[in-house]
Amino acid sequence: MHRGSCLCGAVRFTVEGELPAPDACHCTKCRKHSGHYFVSTDVPRSAVTLEGQDQVRWFQSSEKARRGFCSVCGASLFWDPLQRDWIGIAMGAFDTPTRTRVALHVHLANKGDYYELEEGTPRFDTIPPRPH
């Protein structure tokens, strides 16, 4: 089981099972949502237990997805693709060791100019097909 929370603790969550390797999204929306690029792991909705759900605010960032954040401290927590059975959870929100590493970087055409990426991690200008 993996536990996590927002900065102030008003929103807490647990995820049952292993965490899939996260991806790092460099699109403009993710960079603005997180203040940098957004690294998240995609987990089945059924594996997530959420406490403080009344403190989560959602911003509909496109016709396909919404983004969740804590209404108290403003911490970016979720990337929620509508019509899917999984949700992306921000890696920085986990309290416990995640025992995983970034698997790939996506939307590099929008990457900020103020940072470089580590060598060896796959990179894509778009999102490659997902198995789920």
Side-chain angles (χ1 to χ4, degrees):
M1 174 157 348
H2 296 275
R3 299 179 192 283
S5 66
C6 63
L7 182 62
C8 71
V11 178
R12 296 185 179 282
F13 59 87
T14 58
V15 177
E16 289 285 336
E18 294 300 313
L19 298 177
D23 57 81
C25 184
H26 300 263
C27 79
T28 302
K29 290 178 182 177
C30 278
R31 289 192 303 115
K32 289 187 180 276
H33 172 64
S34 69
H36 194 39
Y37 56 89
F38 192 68
V39 181
S40 62
T41 184
D42 301 335
V43 298
R45 291 179 192 280
S46 61
V48 180
T49 302
L50 187 59
E51 296 175 39
Q53 190 166 352
D54 58 329
Q55 298 302 324
V56 177
R57 296 297 177 265
W58 295 98
F59 173 69
Q60 187 83 34
S61 57
S62 74
E63 67 281 351
K64 295 179 182 180
R66 65 185 184 159
R67 296 159 190 276
F69 60 95
C70 175
S71 65
V72 178
C73 66
S76 300
L77 298 169
F78 308 110
W79 186 82
D80 186 17
L82 306 175
Q83 313 289 328
R84 301 291 182 136
D85 63 350
W86 54 271
I87 188 166
I89 301 179
M91 293 304 295
F94 283 96
D95 296 334
T96 58
T98 62
R99 297 177 188 83
T100 189
R101 295 279 185 253
V102 172
L104 56 102
H105 292 270
V106 297
H107 291 295
L108 287 178
N110 300 111
K111 178 188 158 302
D113 63 355
Y114 59 91
Y115 60 91
E116 296 301 323
L117 301 178
E118 68 277 2
E119 292 296 323
T121 305
R123 304 170 185 200
F124 300 91
D125 285 332
T126 61
I127 297 177
R130 293 178 184 254
H132 37 103

